[in-house]
Amino acid sequence: MSEAALGPAGGWAGPTLAELAERWGAPYRWLVTLAAMIGTIATILSATIVNVALPQVMGAFGIGQDHAQLISTAFLAAVTGTMLLNGWLVDTFGCRLTYAAAILMFVVGSVISGSAPNEGVLIAGRVLQGAAAGMVQPLGMQIIFQVFPAEKRGSAMGLFAVGVVLAPALGPTLGGVIVDGFGWRAVFFMGVPFALLGLALGLVFMPGPARDGVRRRFDGPGFALLVTALLALLTGLASGQREGWESDRVVMELGLAAVAGVGFVLWELRTDAPMLNPRLFAVRGFACSAAVGLVYGAGLFGSTYLIPLFVQTIQGFSPTRAGLLLMPAGLAMVVVFPIAGRLADRFTPPAPITAGLLLFGVSMWLMSGVGTDTPFWTFAIWILIGRVGFGLAMPSMNAGGLRALPAKWVGQGSGAINFARQFGGAMGVNLLSIHLERRTQFHGQALTATQEGGAATRELLREVERLLAGNGIDEVTRQAMAQDYLGQMIFSQASMLAFRDTFLLVVITCLAALVPVAIMRWGGAK
Protein backbone atom coordinates (compact mmCIF):
# COMPACT_ATOMS: atom_id res chain seq x y z
CA MET A 1 0.00 0.00 0.00
CA SER A 2 1.32 3.43 -0.91
CA GLU A 3 2.22 6.13 1.57
CA ALA A 4 -0.71 8.17 0.29
CA ALA A 5 -3.08 5.37 1.16
CA LEU A 6 -1.58 5.04 4.60
CA GLY A 7 -1.70 8.75 5.27
CA PRO A 8 0.92 11.10 6.70
CA ALA A 9 4.08 9.45 7.97
CA GLY A 10 2.77 6.05 6.89
CA GLY A 11 0.14 6.09 9.64
CA TRP A 12 -3.34 4.67 9.52
CA ALA A 13 -5.12 8.02 9.50
CA GLY A 14 -5.58 7.73 5.75
CA PRO A 15 -5.58 10.23 2.89
CA THR A 16 -7.62 13.40 3.15
CA LEU A 17 -11.01 13.90 1.55
CA ALA A 18 -9.53 16.03 -1.24
CA GLU A 19 -6.93 13.36 -2.07
CA LEU A 20 -9.54 10.61 -2.25
CA ALA A 21 -11.88 12.72 -4.38
CA GLU A 22 -9.04 13.43 -6.80
CA ARG A 23 -8.06 9.75 -6.94
CA TRP A 24 -11.52 8.25 -7.53
CA GLY A 25 -13.17 11.09 -9.40
CA ALA A 26 -16.95 11.75 -9.58
CA PRO A 27 -18.03 8.26 -8.39
CA TYR A 28 -16.21 8.78 -5.10
CA ARG A 29 -19.09 10.55 -3.39
CA TRP A 30 -21.37 7.55 -3.95
CA LEU A 31 -18.70 5.01 -3.03
CA VAL A 32 -17.97 6.61 0.35
CA THR A 33 -21.72 7.01 1.01
CA LEU A 34 -22.20 3.31 0.24
CA ALA A 35 -19.44 2.42 2.69
CA ALA A 36 -21.07 4.52 5.43
CA MET A 37 -24.53 3.11 4.66
CA ILE A 38 -23.43 -0.54 4.87
CA GLY A 39 -21.77 -0.05 8.25
CA THR A 40 -24.75 1.91 9.54
CA ILE A 41 -27.23 -0.73 8.38
CA ALA A 42 -25.18 -3.49 10.01
CA THR A 43 -25.18 -1.73 13.39
CA ILE A 44 -28.78 -0.47 13.27
CA LEU A 45 -29.99 -3.94 12.35
CA SER A 46 -28.79 -5.18 15.73
CA ALA A 47 -31.05 -2.72 17.57
CA THR A 48 -34.26 -4.53 16.55
CA ILE A 49 -33.23 -7.97 15.28
CA VAL A 50 -32.81 -9.27 18.84
CA ASN A 51 -36.34 -8.43 20.03
CA VAL A 52 -37.96 -11.56 18.57
CA ALA A 53 -35.29 -13.70 20.27
CA LEU A 54 -35.93 -12.40 23.81
CA PRO A 55 -38.38 -15.17 24.87
CA GLN A 56 -35.82 -17.80 23.80
CA VAL A 57 -33.01 -15.96 25.63
CA MET A 58 -35.16 -15.75 28.76
CA GLY A 59 -35.77 -19.49 28.59
CA ALA A 60 -32.13 -20.35 27.88
CA PHE A 61 -30.75 -18.37 30.82
CA GLY A 62 -33.76 -18.68 33.15
CA ILE A 63 -34.16 -14.92 33.52
CA GLY A 64 -37.19 -12.66 33.87
CA GLN A 65 -38.15 -9.45 32.12
CA ASP A 66 -36.09 -7.36 34.55
CA HIS A 67 -32.89 -8.85 33.09
CA ALA A 68 -34.14 -9.51 29.56
CA GLN A 69 -34.99 -5.85 28.93
CA LEU A 70 -31.35 -4.95 29.66
CA ILE A 71 -30.41 -6.81 26.48
CA SER A 72 -32.27 -4.06 24.60
CA THR A 73 -31.66 -1.10 26.89
CA ALA A 74 -27.92 -1.76 27.24
CA PHE A 75 -27.59 -1.39 23.47
CA LEU A 76 -29.65 1.81 23.36
CA ALA A 77 -27.89 3.34 26.36
CA ALA A 78 -24.48 2.65 24.80
CA VAL A 79 -25.63 4.28 21.57
CA THR A 80 -26.72 7.30 23.60
CA GLY A 81 -23.34 7.66 25.30
CA THR A 82 -20.99 7.21 22.35
CA MET A 83 -23.10 9.19 19.86
CA LEU A 84 -21.94 12.37 21.60
CA LEU A 85 -18.31 11.26 21.16
CA ASN A 86 -18.58 11.17 17.40
CA GLY A 87 -17.64 14.81 16.77
CA TRP A 88 -14.45 14.61 18.81
CA LEU A 89 -13.46 11.22 17.33
CA VAL A 90 -13.88 12.41 13.74
CA ASP A 91 -12.08 15.72 14.36
CA THR A 92 -9.18 13.95 16.07
CA PHE A 93 -8.78 10.68 14.18
CA GLY A 94 -10.78 11.21 11.00
CA CYS A 95 -13.69 9.24 9.59
CA ARG A 96 -11.49 6.32 8.50
CA LEU A 97 -10.04 5.39 11.89
CA THR A 98 -13.27 6.15 13.74
CA TYR A 99 -15.28 3.99 11.34
CA ALA A 100 -12.79 1.12 11.35
CA ALA A 101 -12.50 1.07 15.16
CA ALA A 102 -16.28 1.15 15.55
CA ILE A 103 -16.84 -1.69 13.08
CA LEU A 104 -14.20 -3.85 14.76
CA MET A 105 -15.81 -3.11 18.14
CA PHE A 106 -19.18 -4.12 16.71
CA VAL A 107 -17.80 -7.43 15.40
CA VAL A 108 -16.21 -8.20 18.78
CA GLY A 109 -19.47 -7.35 20.55
CA SER A 110 -21.42 -9.57 18.16
CA VAL A 111 -19.11 -12.54 18.80
CA ILE A 112 -19.31 -12.03 22.57
CA SER A 113 -23.12 -11.77 22.45
CA GLY A 114 -23.56 -14.80 20.22
CA SER A 115 -21.33 -17.03 22.35
CA ALA A 116 -22.32 -15.65 25.79
CA PRO A 117 -22.55 -18.31 28.55
CA ASN A 118 -24.86 -16.14 30.70
CA GLU A 119 -26.90 -12.95 30.57
CA GLY A 120 -24.12 -10.82 32.10
CA VAL A 121 -21.72 -11.57 29.26
CA LEU A 122 -24.54 -11.13 26.73
CA ILE A 123 -25.34 -7.66 28.11
CA ALA A 124 -21.64 -6.73 27.97
CA GLY A 125 -21.56 -7.77 24.31
CA ARG A 126 -24.65 -5.69 23.63
CA VAL A 127 -22.94 -2.67 25.22
CA LEU A 128 -20.06 -3.05 22.77
CA GLN A 129 -22.48 -3.37 19.85
CA GLY A 130 -24.37 -0.26 20.96
CA ALA A 131 -21.21 1.74 21.55
CA ALA A 132 -20.11 0.94 18.00
CA ALA A 133 -23.51 1.87 16.59
CA GLY A 134 -23.38 5.24 18.34
CA MET A 135 -20.01 5.98 16.75
CA VAL A 136 -21.04 4.89 13.25
CA GLN A 137 -24.55 6.32 12.85
CA PRO A 138 -23.68 10.06 12.65
CA LEU A 139 -20.88 9.38 10.13
CA GLY A 140 -23.23 8.93 7.19
CA MET A 141 -24.72 12.41 7.46
CA GLN A 142 -21.29 13.96 8.01
CA ILE A 143 -19.89 12.29 4.90
CA ILE A 144 -22.85 13.32 2.74
CA PHE A 145 -22.52 16.96 3.79
CA GLN A 146 -18.80 16.88 3.00
CA VAL A 147 -18.83 15.19 -0.43
CA PHE A 148 -22.09 16.35 -2.04
CA PRO A 149 -22.85 19.88 -3.19
CA ALA A 150 -25.86 21.53 -1.56
CA GLU A 151 -28.17 20.89 -4.53
CA LYS A 152 -27.54 17.11 -4.40
CA ARG A 153 -27.56 16.50 -0.66
CA GLY A 154 -31.31 15.96 -0.56
CA SER A 155 -31.29 13.01 -2.95
CA ALA A 156 -28.24 11.52 -1.22
CA MET A 157 -29.84 11.90 2.21
CA GLY A 158 -33.05 10.35 0.86
CA LEU A 159 -31.20 7.27 -0.36
CA PHE A 160 -29.25 7.02 2.88
CA ALA A 161 -32.43 7.41 4.96
CA VAL A 162 -34.22 4.62 3.08
CA GLY A 163 -31.42 2.22 3.94
CA VAL A 164 -31.30 3.35 7.55
CA VAL A 165 -35.08 3.02 8.00
CA LEU A 166 -35.33 -0.25 6.10
CA ALA A 167 -32.78 -1.99 8.36
CA PRO A 168 -34.79 -1.80 11.62
CA ALA A 169 -37.97 -2.44 9.64
CA LEU A 170 -36.69 -5.77 8.35
CA GLY A 171 -34.70 -6.59 11.49
CA PRO A 172 -37.46 -8.41 13.43
CA THR A 173 -38.50 -10.40 10.34
CA LEU A 174 -34.94 -11.50 9.60
CA GLY A 175 -34.42 -12.21 13.29
CA GLY A 176 -37.51 -14.41 13.43
CA VAL A 177 -36.42 -16.49 10.45
CA ILE A 178 -32.92 -16.88 11.91
CA VAL A 179 -34.18 -17.87 15.38
CA ASP A 180 -36.51 -20.52 13.94
CA GLY A 181 -33.85 -21.85 11.58
CA PHE A 182 -30.63 -21.60 13.56
CA GLY A 183 -31.43 -20.66 17.17
CA TRP A 184 -31.31 -17.39 19.07
CA ARG A 185 -27.51 -17.11 19.16
CA ALA A 186 -27.37 -16.78 15.39
CA VAL A 187 -29.18 -13.40 15.41
CA PHE A 188 -26.13 -11.73 16.95
CA PHE A 189 -23.97 -12.82 14.01
CA MET A 190 -26.40 -11.56 11.36
CA GLY A 191 -24.78 -8.13 11.05
CA VAL A 192 -21.18 -9.37 11.01
CA PRO A 193 -20.86 -10.04 7.23
CA PHE A 194 -22.32 -6.61 6.43
CA ALA A 195 -20.01 -5.02 9.00
CA LEU A 196 -16.92 -6.66 7.50
CA LEU A 197 -17.96 -5.56 4.01
CA GLY A 198 -18.43 -2.03 5.33
CA LEU A 199 -15.01 -2.20 7.01
CA ALA A 200 -13.32 -3.21 3.75
CA LEU A 201 -15.01 -0.36 1.86
CA GLY A 202 -14.32 2.09 4.68
CA LEU A 203 -10.59 1.38 4.70
CA VAL A 204 -10.51 2.24 1.00
CA PHE A 205 -12.91 5.18 0.77
CA MET A 206 -13.19 6.82 4.20
CA PRO A 207 -11.06 9.98 4.60
CA GLY A 208 -8.63 10.73 7.38
CA PRO A 209 -8.65 13.97 9.39
CA ALA A 210 -8.00 17.28 7.67
CA ARG A 211 -4.31 18.00 8.16
CA ASP A 212 -4.90 21.66 8.92
CA GLY A 213 -8.15 21.18 10.81
CA VAL A 214 -8.86 22.40 14.34
CA ARG A 215 -8.72 19.57 16.87
CA ARG A 216 -11.56 19.54 19.42
CA ARG A 217 -10.62 18.93 23.05
CA PHE A 218 -11.98 15.70 24.54
CA ASP A 219 -14.55 16.30 27.29
CA GLY A 220 -13.28 13.52 29.58
CA PRO A 221 -15.10 14.58 32.78
CA GLY A 222 -18.36 15.08 30.90
CA PHE A 223 -18.16 11.66 29.26
CA ALA A 224 -17.33 9.97 32.57
CA LEU A 225 -20.27 11.66 34.31
CA LEU A 226 -22.65 10.77 31.46
CA VAL A 227 -21.65 7.10 31.42
CA THR A 228 -21.91 6.92 35.22
CA ALA A 229 -25.39 8.48 35.17
CA LEU A 230 -26.69 6.18 32.42
CA LEU A 231 -25.20 3.03 33.93
CA ALA A 232 -26.41 3.79 37.45
CA LEU A 233 -29.90 4.79 36.28
CA LEU A 234 -30.56 1.73 34.12
CA THR A 235 -29.03 -0.64 36.68
CA GLY A 236 -31.06 0.91 39.49
CA LEU A 237 -34.31 0.65 37.54
CA ALA A 238 -33.59 -2.98 36.62
CA SER A 239 -32.69 -3.83 40.24
CA GLY A 240 -35.78 -2.16 41.68
CA GLN A 241 -38.20 -4.93 40.79
CA ARG A 242 -35.88 -7.65 42.05
CA GLU A 243 -34.31 -6.03 45.13
CA GLY A 244 -37.16 -3.73 46.19
CA TRP A 245 -37.39 -0.02 45.46
CA GLU A 246 -36.42 0.95 49.01
CA SER A 247 -33.43 -1.41 49.26
CA ASP A 248 -30.03 0.10 50.00
CA ARG A 249 -28.64 -1.02 46.66
CA VAL A 250 -31.38 0.56 44.55
CA VAL A 251 -31.41 3.80 46.56
CA MET A 252 -27.62 4.03 46.16
CA GLU A 253 -27.73 3.35 42.40
CA LEU A 254 -30.52 5.82 41.70
CA GLY A 255 -28.90 8.38 44.00
CA LEU A 256 -25.61 8.00 42.14
CA ALA A 257 -27.47 8.45 38.84
CA ALA A 258 -29.04 11.68 40.09
CA VAL A 259 -25.74 13.07 41.40
CA ALA A 260 -23.87 12.15 38.21
CA GLY A 261 -26.67 13.58 36.04
CA VAL A 262 -26.67 16.91 37.88
CA GLY A 263 -22.88 16.92 37.81
CA PHE A 264 -22.92 16.33 34.06
CA VAL A 265 -25.22 19.31 33.44
CA LEU A 266 -23.18 21.61 35.70
CA TRP A 267 -19.93 20.54 34.08
CA GLU A 268 -21.29 20.99 30.55
CA LEU A 269 -22.39 24.51 31.48
CA ARG A 270 -18.90 25.53 32.59
CA THR A 271 -16.62 23.75 30.10
CA ASP A 272 -15.69 25.46 26.86
CA ALA A 273 -15.91 22.20 24.85
CA PRO A 274 -19.17 20.51 25.96
CA MET A 275 -20.32 17.15 24.60
CA LEU A 276 -23.92 18.27 25.03
CA ASN A 277 -24.57 21.98 25.48
CA PRO A 278 -27.39 22.42 28.06
CA ARG A 279 -27.96 25.96 26.77
CA LEU A 280 -29.63 24.46 23.71
CA PHE A 281 -32.59 23.53 25.88
CA ALA A 282 -33.12 27.15 26.89
CA VAL A 283 -34.41 27.71 23.34
CA ARG A 284 -38.12 26.97 23.61
CA GLY A 285 -38.66 25.55 20.14
CA PHE A 286 -35.68 23.24 20.41
CA ALA A 287 -36.57 22.11 23.94
CA CYS A 288 -40.09 21.22 22.80
CA SER A 289 -38.76 19.24 19.83
CA ALA A 290 -36.33 17.39 22.11
CA ALA A 291 -39.18 16.55 24.51
CA VAL A 292 -41.20 15.11 21.63
CA GLY A 293 -38.08 13.23 20.50
CA LEU A 294 -37.82 11.68 23.96
CA VAL A 295 -41.39 10.36 23.67
CA TYR A 296 -40.76 9.36 20.05
CA GLY A 297 -37.83 7.16 21.07
CA ALA A 298 -39.68 5.70 24.05
CA GLY A 299 -42.74 4.85 21.96
CA LEU A 300 -40.87 3.47 18.95
CA PHE A 301 -38.34 1.30 20.78
CA GLY A 302 -40.72 0.46 23.62
CA SER A 303 -43.47 -0.82 21.32
CA THR A 304 -40.93 -2.70 19.18
CA TYR A 305 -39.85 -4.45 22.40
CA LEU A 306 -43.36 -5.16 23.70
CA ILE A 307 -45.12 -6.39 20.56
CA PRO A 308 -42.88 -9.40 19.73
CA LEU A 309 -42.86 -10.33 23.41
CA PHE A 310 -46.68 -10.25 23.54
CA VAL A 311 -47.38 -12.27 20.42
CA GLN A 312 -44.85 -14.95 21.35
CA THR A 313 -45.67 -15.34 25.04
CA ILE A 314 -49.45 -14.73 24.90
CA GLN A 315 -50.56 -15.64 21.39
CA GLY A 316 -47.98 -18.37 20.82
CA PHE A 317 -46.48 -16.91 17.63
CA SER A 318 -43.25 -18.35 16.29
CA PRO A 319 -40.32 -15.88 16.04
CA THR A 320 -40.76 -15.76 12.26
CA ARG A 321 -44.46 -14.93 12.53
CA ALA A 322 -43.71 -12.31 15.19
CA GLY A 323 -41.18 -10.68 12.89
CA LEU A 324 -43.54 -10.72 9.92
CA LEU A 325 -46.13 -8.92 12.03
CA LEU A 326 -43.87 -5.85 12.20
CA MET A 327 -42.74 -5.85 8.58
CA PRO A 328 -45.74 -4.08 6.91
CA ALA A 329 -45.45 -1.19 9.38
CA GLY A 330 -41.70 -0.89 8.82
CA LEU A 331 -42.10 -0.83 5.05
CA ALA A 332 -44.83 1.80 5.44
CA MET A 333 -42.34 4.05 7.24
CA VAL A 334 -40.01 3.82 4.24
CA VAL A 335 -42.84 5.14 2.04
CA VAL A 336 -44.00 7.80 4.52
CA PHE A 337 -40.60 9.40 5.26
CA PRO A 338 -40.12 11.10 1.85
CA ILE A 339 -43.72 12.38 1.93
CA ALA A 340 -43.28 13.61 5.50
CA GLY A 341 -40.11 15.42 4.45
CA ARG A 342 -42.06 17.42 1.89
CA LEU A 343 -44.78 18.15 4.46
CA ALA A 344 -42.11 19.42 6.86
CA ASP A 345 -41.14 22.00 4.22
CA ARG A 346 -44.73 23.10 3.60
CA PHE A 347 -46.23 23.19 7.11
CA THR A 348 -45.10 24.52 10.47
CA PRO A 349 -43.78 21.69 12.72
CA PRO A 350 -46.73 21.45 15.17
CA ALA A 351 -49.20 20.27 12.50
CA PRO A 352 -47.37 17.12 11.27
CA ILE A 353 -46.10 16.34 14.77
CA THR A 354 -49.61 16.53 16.24
CA ALA A 355 -51.01 14.34 13.45
CA GLY A 356 -48.22 11.82 13.98
CA LEU A 357 -48.65 11.66 17.76
CA LEU A 358 -52.42 11.24 17.43
CA LEU A 359 -52.02 8.41 14.93
CA PHE A 360 -49.58 6.65 17.22
CA GLY A 361 -51.89 7.23 20.18
CA VAL A 362 -54.79 5.66 18.26
CA SER A 363 -52.55 2.71 17.40
CA MET A 364 -51.60 2.10 21.03
CA TRP A 365 -55.19 2.61 22.19
CA LEU A 366 -56.34 -0.12 19.79
CA MET A 367 -53.61 -2.39 21.15
CA SER A 368 -54.83 -1.79 24.70
CA GLY A 369 -57.78 -4.01 23.75
CA VAL A 370 -55.64 -6.82 22.32
CA GLY A 371 -56.48 -10.41 23.23
CA THR A 372 -55.33 -13.96 22.66
CA ASP A 373 -57.55 -14.23 19.59
CA THR A 374 -56.69 -10.91 17.91
CA PRO A 375 -56.15 -11.77 14.20
CA PHE A 376 -52.71 -11.36 12.66
CA TRP A 377 -53.70 -8.73 10.08
CA THR A 378 -55.80 -6.75 12.57
CA PHE A 379 -52.77 -6.44 14.82
CA ALA A 380 -50.51 -5.65 11.84
CA ILE A 381 -52.81 -2.80 10.73
CA TRP A 382 -52.87 -1.37 14.26
CA ILE A 383 -49.06 -1.31 14.28
CA LEU A 384 -48.96 0.19 10.79
CA ILE A 385 -51.15 3.13 11.90
CA GLY A 386 -48.68 3.98 14.64
CA ARG A 387 -45.62 3.70 12.41
CA VAL A 388 -47.23 6.00 9.82
CA GLY A 389 -47.67 8.50 12.65
CA PHE A 390 -44.01 8.21 13.58
CA GLY A 391 -43.01 8.71 9.97
CA LEU A 392 -45.07 11.90 9.77
CA ALA A 393 -43.70 13.34 12.99
CA MET A 394 -39.96 12.72 12.76
CA PRO A 395 -38.89 15.06 9.91
CA SER A 396 -40.88 17.99 11.34
CA MET A 397 -39.59 17.25 14.83
CA ASN A 398 -35.97 17.41 13.66
CA ALA A 399 -36.45 20.36 11.31
CA GLY A 400 -38.49 22.37 13.80
CA GLY A 401 -35.93 21.95 16.55
CA LEU A 402 -32.96 22.92 14.39
CA ARG A 403 -34.72 25.92 12.84
CA ALA A 404 -35.23 27.35 16.32
CA LEU A 405 -31.46 27.44 16.99
CA PRO A 406 -28.88 30.03 15.99
CA ALA A 407 -26.74 28.86 13.08
CA LYS A 408 -23.70 28.32 15.32
CA TRP A 409 -25.61 25.73 17.38
CA VAL A 410 -27.18 23.68 14.58
CA GLY A 411 -24.46 21.01 14.60
CA GLN A 412 -24.74 20.53 18.37
CA GLY A 413 -28.53 20.61 18.11
CA SER A 414 -28.60 17.71 15.65
CA GLY A 415 -26.58 15.59 18.05
CA ALA A 416 -28.74 16.65 20.99
CA ILE A 417 -32.02 15.64 19.29
CA ASN A 418 -30.54 12.25 18.40
CA PHE A 419 -29.39 11.95 22.01
CA ALA A 420 -32.91 12.70 23.28
CA ARG A 421 -34.44 10.10 20.95
CA GLN A 422 -31.95 7.38 21.90
CA PHE A 423 -32.20 8.18 25.61
CA GLY A 424 -35.98 8.04 25.32
CA GLY A 425 -35.68 4.63 23.68
CA ALA A 426 -33.51 3.24 26.48
CA MET A 427 -35.79 4.64 29.18
CA GLY A 428 -38.95 3.59 27.34
CA VAL A 429 -37.95 -0.06 27.11
CA ASN A 430 -36.79 -0.07 30.73
CA LEU A 431 -39.79 1.65 32.29
CA LEU A 432 -42.38 -0.16 30.17
CA SER A 433 -40.81 -3.47 31.12
CA ILE A 434 -41.01 -2.53 34.81
CA HIS A 435 -44.63 -1.45 34.43
CA LEU A 436 -45.46 -4.70 32.62
CA GLU A 437 -43.97 -6.81 35.39
CA ARG A 438 -45.68 -4.85 38.17
CA ARG A 439 -49.07 -5.01 36.47
CA THR A 440 -48.63 -8.74 35.88
CA GLN A 441 -48.06 -9.21 39.60
CA PHE A 442 -51.06 -7.01 40.41
CA HIS A 443 -53.45 -8.85 38.12
CA GLY A 444 -52.05 -12.22 39.17
CA GLN A 445 -52.81 -11.51 42.84
CA ALA A 446 -56.26 -10.15 42.01
CA LEU A 447 -57.18 -13.15 39.85
CA THR A 448 -55.82 -15.63 42.40
CA ALA A 449 -58.01 -14.08 45.10
CA THR A 450 -61.14 -14.64 42.96
CA GLN A 451 -60.37 -18.35 42.54
CA GLU A 452 -60.35 -19.34 46.19
CA GLY A 453 -63.39 -21.46 47.01
CA GLY A 454 -65.22 -20.67 43.77
CA ALA A 455 -67.55 -23.30 42.31
CA ALA A 456 -66.20 -22.81 38.79
CA THR A 457 -62.63 -23.26 40.03
CA ARG A 458 -63.51 -26.49 41.89
CA GLU A 459 -65.23 -27.80 38.79
CA LEU A 460 -62.21 -26.98 36.62
CA LEU A 461 -59.82 -28.74 39.01
CA ARG A 462 -62.08 -31.82 39.17
CA GLU A 463 -62.25 -31.97 35.37
CA VAL A 464 -58.48 -31.69 35.00
CA GLU A 465 -57.96 -34.38 37.65
CA ARG A 466 -60.47 -36.65 35.88
CA LEU A 467 -58.59 -36.32 32.59
CA LEU A 468 -55.29 -37.05 34.31
CA ALA A 469 -56.78 -40.05 36.10
CA GLY A 470 -57.63 -41.51 32.70
CA ASN A 471 -53.90 -41.61 32.00
CA GLY A 472 -53.16 -43.61 35.15
CA ILE A 473 -51.68 -40.75 37.22
CA ASP A 474 -51.94 -41.16 41.00
CA GLU A 475 -54.16 -38.88 43.08
CA VAL A 476 -51.46 -36.77 44.77
CA THR A 477 -49.74 -36.04 41.45
CA ARG A 478 -53.11 -35.30 39.80
CA GLN A 479 -53.95 -32.67 42.39
CA ALA A 480 -50.54 -31.00 42.06
CA MET A 481 -50.75 -30.96 38.25
CA ALA A 482 -54.28 -29.53 38.34
CA GLN A 483 -53.17 -26.72 40.64
CA ASP A 484 -50.19 -26.03 38.39
CA TYR A 485 -52.49 -25.87 35.35
CA LEU A 486 -54.72 -23.38 37.16
CA GLY A 487 -51.69 -21.28 38.06
CA GLN A 488 -50.57 -21.18 34.44
CA MET A 489 -54.03 -20.07 33.33
CA ILE A 490 -54.04 -17.26 35.90
CA PHE A 491 -50.54 -16.13 34.91
CA SER A 492 -51.44 -16.06 31.21
CA GLN A 493 -54.57 -14.00 31.88
CA ALA A 494 -52.65 -11.66 34.21
CA SER A 495 -49.93 -11.18 31.58
CA MET A 496 -52.47 -10.31 28.90
CA LEU A 497 -54.14 -7.73 31.13
CA ALA A 498 -50.72 -6.30 32.03
CA PHE A 499 -49.82 -5.89 28.34
CA ARG A 500 -53.10 -4.02 27.83
CA ASP A 501 -52.28 -1.69 30.72
CA THR A 502 -48.78 -1.09 29.35
CA PHE A 503 -50.05 -0.21 25.87
CA LEU A 504 -52.49 2.19 27.55
CA LEU A 505 -49.59 3.81 29.43
CA VAL A 506 -47.93 4.51 26.08
CA VAL A 507 -51.16 6.23 24.96
CA ILE A 508 -51.10 8.49 28.02
CA THR A 509 -47.41 9.33 27.47
CA CYS A 510 -48.12 10.11 23.82
CA LEU A 511 -50.94 12.48 24.77
CA ALA A 512 -48.67 14.17 27.31
CA ALA A 513 -46.25 14.90 24.46
CA LEU A 514 -48.93 17.10 22.89
CA VAL A 515 -48.19 19.68 25.63
CA PRO A 516 -44.75 20.67 24.26
CA VAL A 517 -46.26 20.60 20.75
CA ALA A 518 -48.89 23.10 21.91
CA ILE A 519 -46.13 25.29 23.37
CA MET A 520 -44.39 25.16 19.99
CA ARG A 521 -47.61 26.27 18.31
CA TRP A 522 -48.18 29.12 20.76
CA GLY A 523 -44.58 30.16 20.26
CA GLY A 524 -45.14 30.49 16.53
CA ALA A 525 -42.78 27.69 15.45
CA LYS A 526 -41.63 28.01 11.86
Side-chain angles (χ1 to χ4, degrees), residues 403-477:
R403 287 174 191 161
L405 294 175
K408 63 178 181 179
W409 283 356
V410 168
Q412 295 179 62
S414 177
I417 283 187
N418 286 327
F419 174 86
R421 186 170 63 250
Q422 292 293 336
F423 180 68
M427 292 300 298
V429 173
N430 202 312
L431 294 176
L432 290 175
S433 176
I434 292 171
H435 184 263
L436 176 64
E437 190 168 350
R438 290 176 67 87
R439 296 303 293 176
T440 300
Q441 294 173 354
F442 170 81
H443 288 297
Q445 294 169 358
L447 290 171
T448 299
T450 65
Q451 304 303 310
E452 297 177 359
T457 301
R458 291 195 300 270
E459 180 61 28
L460 171 66
L461 293 174
R462 283 196 296 267
E463 183 63 20
V464 173
E465 290 184 42
R466 185 184 66 78
L467 293 173
L468 293 173
N471 293 321
I473 299 174
D474 64 86
E475 182 179 359
V476 174
T477 304

Side-chain angles (χ1 to χ4, degrees), residues 329-372:
L331 295 176
M333 288 183 70
V334 175
V335 176
V336 168
F337 262 121
I339 299 172
R342 295 189 185 96
L343 293 176
D345 292 333
R346 295 185 59 185
F347 297 95
T348 58
I353 294 174
T354 299
L357 288 172
L358 290 176
L359 282 174
F360 182 67
V362 168
S363 170
M364 290 293 105
W365 177 74
L366 291 170
M367 289 185 207
S368 68
V370 72
T372 55

Side-chain angles (χ1 to χ4, degrees), residues 229-324:
L230 289 173
L231 182 62
L233 177 60
L234 295 178
T235 303
L237 291 175
S239 302
Q241 279 295 99
R242 184 176 62 258
E243 305 287 340
W245 293 101
E246 297 181 358
S247 65
D248 292 341
R249 173 183 173 177
V250 173
V251 171
M252 182 180 69
E253 289 171 342
L254 295 180
L256 176 61
V259 170
V262 172
F264 173 73
V265 173
L266 294 176
W267 172 259
E268 296 299 284
L269 284 171
R270 70 180 295 268
T271 184
D272 57 357
M275 292 177 57
L276 179 66
N277 190 348
R279 294 177 181 85
L280 295 170
F281 299 97
V283 180
R284 180 171 56 183
F286 179 83
C288 292
S289 292
V292 175
L294 196 73
V295 175
Y296 181 103
L300 179 61
F301 289 104
S303 60
T304 306
Y305 169 83
L306 289 172
I307 291 168
L309 193 63
F310 174 84
V311 296
Q312 289 184 83
T313 59
I314 304 299
Q315 292 193 319
F317 279 23
S318 67
T320 299
R321 189 170 172 81
L324 288 171

Side-chain angles (χ1 to χ4, degrees), residues 22-33:
E22 181 180 356
R23 178 185 305 171
W24 295 99
Y28 172 69
R29 61 184 58 162
W30 294 107
L31 293 172
V32 71
T33 300

